[in-house]
Structure formats: C-alpha cells, structure tokens
Amino acid sequence: MSREDLKNERHDEMLRVYEERLIVNDSIRQITRPADNELGFLADDIADWIAKDMERFLSPISPNWDKADGSIATRTRSRITNTSTSGAATKHAASGSASLAQDVSNLAISHGKPAQIDAQLAADIGKIKKWTATNGNYQGSEKSMYDPIRSFIVYVARRVKDRLSRPGLSEKVRDECRLILPVEVTDYKPVDSDDSTRIDIGLVDTKYDAAIEMRGRASYYQLCGIFEVKTDKEDVAEAFVQLYKYSRQLFAEQHHLRFALGFTICAGDVRLCHFGPSKAVSSDPMDVTTSNGRRAFIQLIVNMSLCDDSQLGRDPTMRYLPALNCWEIDCPDDKYNNGTSRADSSRYYFTKVICVADRLFGRHTRCFLATANRPAKKLKVDESLEATVVIKDAFAFAKPIASDDDRDEVKTLKKIRSTFERNNPDSILYAKIVVGGRVRFKRGSRIVEDTTSTMYAGVDGELLAKVSSDLLFRAHRRIVMDTIGEPLRTVKTAKEFVAVICDAMQCHYAIVDKCKILHRDISDNNILVVRMKDGTVRGLLIDFDCAIDISKEKTEVRGEMTGTFPFMSLNNLTCSTVPRTSLDDWESVLYLLCWHATIGFGTGEDRSEVRARLKNQPIARWRNGTLDTIVDAKRSNLRSLDTFYHDIVRRFDDRDKNSEQLGGFALGLYDSLFANKLGTGYHGSEKEKVNPIMTAFLKRGQHHTPASDDSTSATDPFALRAENWENISKDLLGVINNTKAEMVDWEDSDF
C-alpha cells in the first residue's frame, strides 16, 4: 500500500471518528486558562489590552485608551483584593502567590498607552484586515488565508512579549511564560510524518524573550498545535477529519504528550479542538469578523502563553535533556494501606522507545527501555543508554480513587510477582514489577493526579460528565519492570515467533491457574521478544491493563469489549453476554499467529509493502472496515476447519522453510478451540456442523484428530465451550507443549 493509499484509508477512518466521537462544548476553551488564579487574571488583562489595541486599527472609532488603561489596573487590584479574603487565596499566599499578585498588579499599572504604528505593525494589520473583513465564505484561495492568520498570531505574540518584558513582573513568573508563534513554512509535510499528509499551519512555542519571528520547518515533535484552514464556513467536517489525522501523529512523535490541541478555521470561524484519550471536544466557533470573536481568539492565544506546560498537553514528569541527549522520567511507587495511598518516586533515563502512542484515541501506551543511572556526559546522536528496565506509560481505565481500583495493573503485577516468587517451579518468564503507580505533578500550587478529571479541569459539569464518566474515567499510570524485551515484530523466523508465543501462553496459563488473573488483551503489542545471553529467544507477556481477578469477579457476563483489533475474539467483538474466559485469549493467540504467518518473518519489507501484499487477502478484513464487517469476516473464515484452511492457513507466507509446520500449529489451536473432542455442540464459529477434512494434515503435525461431524446445530458454540473452558485450556496448553517439543526439528530459515 502506498503512502497515498494509507492516507485515504486514514481519511475514511477519521470521518467515522468525527461522526462518533466529537463533542461540541464551548467550555473546552477554559482548559488553557492559567491554573494559578493571579496568572489567570493577568492573562485576562493582557488579552483585554491586546483586543482593544487591535480594535484601534481595525475599527473606525478608537476606544478611550486612558480610561481603558486605568480600568485594567483597577480591575486587577480589585480581583486580587477580593480573592485574598477567600480560603483559596489564603492557600495561594502561603505558597508565594502573594508576591505574584503584587507582580500582576504592578504589571497592570505599567501597561501604558499602546505602541505607535511601525512598518511591521502596519504590514500585520493590513493582512489581518483581509481575514477579519470576510463576509461569509473567504473570497480567495485557501493558501491566501495563511498569511493573515499567521499575522494575527504574531501580532498577539508581539504584544504578549511587550507586556511580559516591562518592569513589575518577577523573573520566576516570566520564566514560566512563553510565546506562541506560527511556523514559517505552510502547507508542508513534517519530516517525521509517516504518510503524505501536509499540514496547513503549525504552531510552536518559545521563551517569552525570544525574537519575534516565524519558526522554520517544524517537525511533529516540535509542534504545540496545528491549524487546518478552509475557505468555506460549511466545510467543518472535512477540516476536523484533517485535524484528526495530524493529531494522531503528534501523539506518535511526542512521547510526553497527554492530550493534543488543534484548530480548525473555516473562513472567519475559529474552533479549538482538544483530543483526549476517549473523546474529541470542539469549542463553538469564534467569529473573527466580529470584535467579540477576535477577543475570544486573542484570549485563547494569551492563555496558551501563560498557562502551565501541562495545560498544553505535556507531561511535566518527562523531560528531554539536551545537555545529555536523553529523556528523564519520574516513576511513581504507589503504596496502599488501609484504604489510603501514598506515593514515592524514582527517576530513570532513556533513549530507546519500543512502543509509541500512534492511535488518536485509547490508552496511548508507550514503552521505554531505561536505566536508573544518569549519563555522565552527553550521548552521541546514535548512542543508546544501556537499559536495565522497561517502563510502560499509559492512560488506563480506572476508578477515581486509586485504593478502590481492583483492576489497577500495579496491584495485578504485584500479586503475580508475590505468587510466583513463592511458587514458580517451571521457571515461567513473567513481567516483574519494580515500581509503579499513578502519575502526579504540580499544577499551579497543587499536586494533582493525572486523570481525565485533571485533564479537563475548568470545563463545565456537562462536558466533564461526558468525558470523565465511570465508563470513560482514565488514570495515567507508569510501571517499571525489570525484564528487557523487544517488540514482537523483531522476530526473524517462524521458529523464533512460535518460541515466543509458546512462552507467553505458558505464562498466561500459569497466571490464570495460580493467580486467578485473566489477561483479556492478547495482541502483538503485548508480547515481547526477550533475547537471552545464551542466544535463545523467549517470550514475555505484558500489559495487564484490561486484566481482571477472576477469584473476585469470576468471569465477565457484561457486554464489555476489551482488546485490540484485529486480535479480539468473536465473543469479545460482539460484546456477547457469554462469560469471558481464558479461551477468548487463546482465540486471540490464534489470530495473532495467523496474522504474522501471513505477513512473514524477517522479510525486510516496509509497512507499505506488507499492506500491499495483504490488500486482497481474506485476513485483511480482520483489520479493515466496521465492527460488523470484521465480525462477519471472522465468522466466515472460521466457520469450519475446511474454510479456515482454505481462507487463511494456505495463504501463510511460504518463503519461510517452516511454513507447513506453522500451519499445523494454527490448525491444532483451531481444533482445540472450534472443533474440540471434549464434547459436542460447540464446533466452528456458527451453529452448523463441521466437515473435518483436514484430519490427515493434523496427524502429520502430531495433533489430535478433529471431532466427528455429529455436532449439534441448535446451540451457541461459544456458550458451550465457555462452560468447559478449564479442560479446553489444558488441551490448548498441550498443543503448545507439543509444538515446542517439535520445534527441535524445525529449520533455522532466513531470507
């Protein structure tokens, strides 16, 4: 698949996202209002001054500036005085905000009259007028809008710098502020883009005292916001679709990004868009052809200039260190005692990222290979730190109070480690937790937990209920584990792949058996390749975000969907009320095996070549399309052993010398899951009989023969197999053990 094909595929996907996940609520503009009350007041006053300054040039009647200047200082002093009598202000004063209040008051008094027009200002105003004088749709090309929009932003940046540079504000406060500036190049493809999409206008931020000039060709890694521009006021949907695609790449390239900000501009209508883990939220349009709309847009830019870094979506507990050419990350260590929790913190350093957050919505899981040892000197460009741990960072579903959260992955991993340290006779390789907990950071004068509630601080109650309800509440967790692994895609042969899968599922079986924990999210991101010092390859099962303790919750009987496309079981995909069991995870392993066996191992192909080869394969329908079409495709391919072989297995990549053995492995798993000899009535994926024509093939692979074709057609096969899940799981473990023993005779193939 070419980059253009990939772009078109993503366009269709994002159109569905626009229709299903967008919320319109104007209070989203409040998320960038500075968390410190006094800085918020200062932002209001600076925005008010800039707006009046701009109207002096755009409107035929100039305001009374002497009166306006006085009102700013008076209003600021009044706010400070009024607030200081409240309990909240008393807390601010205790943390040093009293001096900030005086800074703000002094700065407001020093505003003075607006600067005289110079050549640069005159040029900016001339361009801004072309945009703000729009009546209806913009009369001109889309590209002709870029300069006026950028001039508007630069105009605000000049005024923000002017006000922050005047006497009356402490250096400590100034150092926390920034300038928001446009990228000089427009309509361009960032160098770190993975498709052919071009962005209209990029935004970057810099120190408040930097030169006012447009920045060069910024990468996605460097951007703090993106504008998608349209000349037609009605072209809102297409603008959002484009913005969605850009934002996905922001998450992929910025490892410390918690949420993303973007803007759509349709003629004179500006909308802020916030991309969180579960939803996209848009403001109402700010119409810059009106003074109120211009004032609102100015306020937004000023707020972005004065707010905390965390309010721009960045994680303050992760910092890139240019002096060392590596990242520094703080990792919490939550401890629970009698319903209360406390958190310590450890610091690590990393250069290598093995998993990026390349989806627009979801947990935004990232994994880093790290060490606790701070580098003694700056690393070279191609130099990596010697890692001793792997760090997982994700926004997982959770309960608001951490001590009440029984599905907390930190608690799950601690239970597994405690159990296996007491009893692990088979030397199972498992993910050993070192520390872990919820990420916390300072915002304003408070320490806050990084959750969806914190992320949407300041919005109205209606919006908060929609983005942070019980079903959508997420907490930012970070976990350190002491076993180093590589992504599953790094396996070089079918033999290595099967060794890794067998290890991971032996671990899965032991965790269900000994710890009573069900994983529920088997995918290619959740199994790592561990290369041992003796040259052997092993598999490591990770990511227990979706896991449940079946000793407490038994098995799921709700219509709950968890997992990763295209590896989710049919029971899971359909949100069936049939109880979820370990068989759903084993079914995911079958899909994982088929997917990678079709793609091939160690071929050296890039993603576009793989996509092109899969494009017309039946298995491609497991990934592309709607939920209903994916379910239909899997049901069809798994209807019987016959269809499974002809639709899927015979299409495995035969360039690997062990492709036939790989097919036998897949058929063995299918036999146990969908045509099990332990009973009748749960054959195939639908309520029909199976014609077991592949008996000879299975015998060659030394797996058991499929059941006879006396199956019952009047029962749900998934409901019946769930009743016998423990025995079927043992049967599947037998398939794993047999395959592992047979691998001694497999060839070491390569390309």
Side-chain angles (χ1 to χ4, degrees):
M1 182 182 291
S2 67
R3 286 196 170 192
E4 193 64 29
D5 290 336
L6 179 59
K7 184 174 78 170
N8 293 335
E9 179 184 299
R10 286 176 176 168
H11 181 278
D12 295 340
E13 177 189 354
M14 294 309 165
L15 187 58
R16 291 195 298 271
V17 168
Y18 169 74
E19 294 168 349
E20 298 169 3
R21 297 232 192 184
L22 180 67
I23 299 171
V24 178
N25 186 299
D26 203 44
S27 71
I28 194 64
R29 289 194 285 127
Q30 295 303 310
I31 63 162
T32 59
R33 179 178 172 79
D36 189 289
N37 283 339
E38 305 308 336
L39 273 178
F41 297 150
L42 176 59
D44 290 345
D45 289 331
I46 292 178
D48 200 32
W49 186 89
I50 294 173
K52 289 177 179 177
D53 193 31
M54 183 177 287
E55 294 308 308
R56 181 167 70 103
F57 302 116
L58 298 181
S59 302
I61 303 175
S62 297
N64 186 329
W65 288 99
D66 290 331
K67 184 178 293 186
D69 291 339
S71 69
I72 291 173
T74 303
R75 185 169 63 254
T76 304
R77 285 194 299 269
S78 174
R79 284 172 176 163
I80 295 167
T81 304
N82 292 339
T83 314
S84 62
T85 60
S86 67
T90 303
K91 293 179 183 178
H92 282 307
S95 63
S97 286
S99 60
L100 173 59
Q102 187 59 50
D103 284 343
V104 173
S105 182
N106 292 341
L107 185 61
I109 294 171
S110 73
H111 268 339
K113 295 184 178 181
Q116 299 298 311
I117 291 183
D118 56 24
Q120 182 61 58
L121 179 58
D124 286 344
I125 290 296
K127 293 175 183 178
I128 293 170
K129 280 184 177 180
K130 291 180 181 179
W131 179 35
T132 59
T134 299
N135 185 12
N137 294 336
Y138 186 80
Q139 302 304 307
S141 68
E142 183 179 298
K143 290 186 178 181
S144 69
M145 292 179 66
Y146 297 163
D147 263 2
I149 294 167
R150 293 186 301 164
S151 294
F152 192 107
I153 299 165
V154 169
Y155 182 96
V156 176
R158 289 182 187 281
R159 294 295 172 265
V160 169
K161 179 178 181 178
D162 180 47
R163 295 303 166 240
L164 293 180
S165 300
R166 294 191 180 189
L169 200 63
S170 69
E171 284 301 318
K172 181 177 182 299
V173 173
R174 287 195 182 102
D175 286 344
E176 295 176 359
C177 299
R178 65 189 69 79
L179 299 179
I180 303 296
L181 292 166
V183 175
E184 183 176 9
V185 182
T186 58
D187 185 30
Y188 75 100
K189 183 172 78 79
V191 67
D192 48 359
S193 175
D194 69 355
D195 63 25
S196 58
T197 302
R198 305 172 72 86
I199 66 174
D200 290 343
I201 301 174
L203 284 183
V204 295
D205 62 303
T206 187
K207 287 185 172 294
Y208 85 94
D209 56 354
I212 300 290
E213 58 186 13
M214 296 185 192
R215 303 297 156 171
R217 195 185 186 93
S219 64
Y220 277 115
Y221 172 76
Q222 297 168 309
L223 297 175
C224 67
I226 299 174
F227 285 91
E228 175 60 23
V229 180
K230 301 293 181 186
T231 59
D232 192 327
K233 291 175 74 74
E234 302 302 319
D235 213 358
V236 180
E238 184 61 26
F240 273 116
V241 167
Q242 290 295 111
L243 196 59
Y244 288 178
K245 289 190 282 189
Y246 306 148
S247 300
R248 185 197 63 79
Q249 301 221 45
L250 288 175
F251 284 116
E253 297 302 325
Q254 298 187 29
H255 309 314
H256 60 333
L257 196 64
R258 302 159 44 249
F259 61 81
L261 297 178
F263 302 83
T264 63
I265 298 182
C266 298
D269 290 346
V270 181
R271 292 173 175 85
L272 170 68
C273 195
H274 174 284
F275 298 94
S278 300
K279 296 287 185 180
V281 185
S282 165
S283 70
D284 291 332
M286 294 168 274
D287 184 358
V288 297
T289 67
T290 68
S291 57
N292 286 339
R294 292 189 287 271
R295 172 67 174 78
F297 188 30
I298 290 169
Q299 179 76 63
L300 190 57
I301 299 171
V302 174
N303 283 349
M304 290 176 67
S305 303
L306 272 65
C307 69
D308 286 352
D309 252 10
S310 66
Q311 293 177 271
L312 296 180
R314 295 164 180 155
D315 181 353
T317 67
M318 286 180 63
R319 300 160 293 275
Y320 183 72
L321 306 178
L324 296 176
N325 204 20
C326 70
W327 286 84
E328 181 180 69
I329 182 171
D330 298 329
C331 297
D333 185 15
D334 287 358
K335 296 178 176 63
Y336 306 100
N337 184 26
N338 297 325
T340 62
S341 64
R342 68 179 181 84
D344 299 322
S345 182
S346 303
R347 185 161 290 176
Y348 293 85
Y349 302 87
F350 71 88
T351 53
K352 190 171 183 179
V353 182
I354 61 171
C355 177
V356 299
D358 59 355
R359 292 183 174 91
L360 184 56
F361 297 114
R363 291 177 292 164
H364 291 155
T365 302
R366 300 171 171 102
C367 291
F368 317 113
L369 298 184
T371 175
N373 299 320
R374 181 184 174 95
K377 60 182 181 179
K378 186 172 183 176
L379 301 172
K380 297 177 182 178
V381 174
D382 57 349
E383 186 178 2
S384 296
L385 289 170
E386 185 175 346
T388 57
V389 297
V390 60
I391 299 174
K392 176 192 170 186
D393 185 87
F395 274 89
F397 288 120
K399 291 183 179 179
I401 300 175
S403 58
D404 294 342
D405 193 357
D406 291 333
R407 295 191 184 184
D408 186 339
E409 186 180 13
V410 175
K411 295 179 182 177
T412 298
L413 290 175
K414 286 182 176 180
K415 178 179 179 179
I416 293 171
R417 178 161 190 169
S418 174
T419 302
F420 278 18
E421 283 180 343
R422 294 194 307 269
N423 182 19
N424 186 11
D426 300 322
S427 300
I428 297 292
L429 184 66
Y430 65 97
K432 296 180 182 178
I433 186 171
V434 179
V435 296
R438 293 191 179 186
V439 174
R440 297 167 176 84
F441 55 77
K442 186 175 182 180
R443 170 174 287 178
S445 60
R446 299 186 303 120
I447 300 296
V448 297
E449 272 189 1
D450 194 13
T451 66
T452 43
S453 295
T454 305
M455 186 179 293
Y456 292 96
V459 305
D460 64 26
E462 179 185 358
L463 175 57
L464 191 60
K466 289 180 179 178
V467 297
S468 191
S469 64
D470 289 342
L471 294 177
L472 293 177
F473 186 88
R474 293 179 185 264
H476 186 183
R477 291 197 198 112
R478 190 167 290 153
I479 298 171
V480 181
M481 294 166 286
D482 71 356
T483 305
I484 301 296
E486 302 172 349
L488 190 57
R489 65 177 180 273
T490 62
V491 295
K492 300 171 183 176
T493 65
K495 188 174 181 178
E496 280 192 356
F497 179 83
V498 173
V500 169
I501 293 298
C502 288
D503 263 356
M505 291 314 292
Q506 284 178 322
C507 177
H508 178 279
Y509 183 89
I511 288 173
V512 173
D513 182 47
K514 298 177 184 295
C515 308
K516 307 305 177 188
I517 288 171
L518 183 60
H519 189 280
R520 304 198 311 158
D521 187 15
I522 302 295
S523 74
D524 53 358
N525 286 327
N526 297 340
I527 296 176
L528 295 183
V529 180
V530 181
R531 299 191 180 276
M532 311 301 286
K533 291 182 179 179
D534 63 2
T536 58
V537 175
R538 302 199 64 182
L540 179 68
L541 181 64
I542 62 167
D543 195 353
F544 287 77
D545 267 340
C546 298
I548 60 170
D549 187 333
I550 56 177
S551 67
K552 296 180 180 179
E553 301 188 42
K554 301 302 178 184
T555 52
E556 285 293 315
V557 295
R558 296 174 291 156
E560 180 185 27
M561 183 187 294
T562 60
T564 307
F565 289 133
F567 311 117
M568 292 166 63
S569 70
L570 281 166
N571 195 21
N572 190 6
L573 280 168
T574 57
C575 290
S576 170
T577 55
V578 173
R580 294 278 299 281
T581 69
S582 66
L583 299 186
D584 291 277
D585 286 354
W586 282 100
E587 187 179 329
S588 293
V589 169
L590 176 61
Y591 299 148
L592 185 65
L593 167 62
C594 293
W595 187 264
H596 283 271
T598 305
I599 291 172
F601 308 99
T603 64
E605 295 174 317
D606 63 25
R607 185 161 59 173
S608 63
E609 292 173 314
V610 171
R611 285 175 179 269
R613 198 155 46 78
L614 290 182
K615 189 172 184 180
N616 297 316
Q617 298 265 29
I619 201 170
R621 295 187 297 156
W622 294 5
R623 177 183 181 274
N624 303 323
T626 65
L627 180 62
D628 288 340
T629 60
I630 291 173
V631 169
D632 289 344
K634 283 190 174 181
R635 280 198 189 281
S636 175
N637 299 146
L638 298 167
R639 181 177 289 115
S640 69
L641 196 62
D642 184 1
T643 56
F644 177 59
Y645 173 75
H646 284 284
D647 289 357
I648 304 299
V649 175
R650 74 181 183 90
R651 299 171 189 270
F652 285 0
D653 185 2
D654 60 6
R655 290 175 291 179
D656 193 292
K657 297 175 183 178
N658 298 302
S659 60
E660 184 174 338
Q661 290 89 333
L662 206 58
F665 183 29
L667 289 164
L669 293 174
Y670 178 92
D671 183 29
S672 293
L673 280 165
F674 293 98
N676 198 282
K677 66 181 180 181
L678 296 173
T680 60
Y682 49 97
H683 300 288
S685 58
E686 297 180 311
K687 300 172 185 177
E688 61 182 43
K689 295 184 179 181
V690 175
N691 178 17
I693 67 169
M694 297 306 298
T695 300
F697 194 104
L698 288 175
K699 283 184 176 179
R700 266 204 319 273
Q702 297 181 8
H703 300 301
H704 58 70
T705 304
S708 61
D709 61 351
D710 60 348
S711 56
T712 304
S713 61
T715 54
D716 182 347
F718 296 101
L720 285 178
R721 80 177 190 181
E723 295 175 5
N724 204 15
W725 71 268
E726 290 177 283
N727 287 328
I728 298 175
S729 295
K730 290 179 182 177
D731 200 39
L732 287 159
L733 183 64
V735 175
I736 288 285
N737 290 334
N738 287 341
T739 302
K740 206 167 183 179
E742 293 166 4
M743 282 174 55
V744 176
D745 299 323
W746 287 24
E747 295 186 59
D748 293 317
S749 59
D750 52 35
F751 289 85

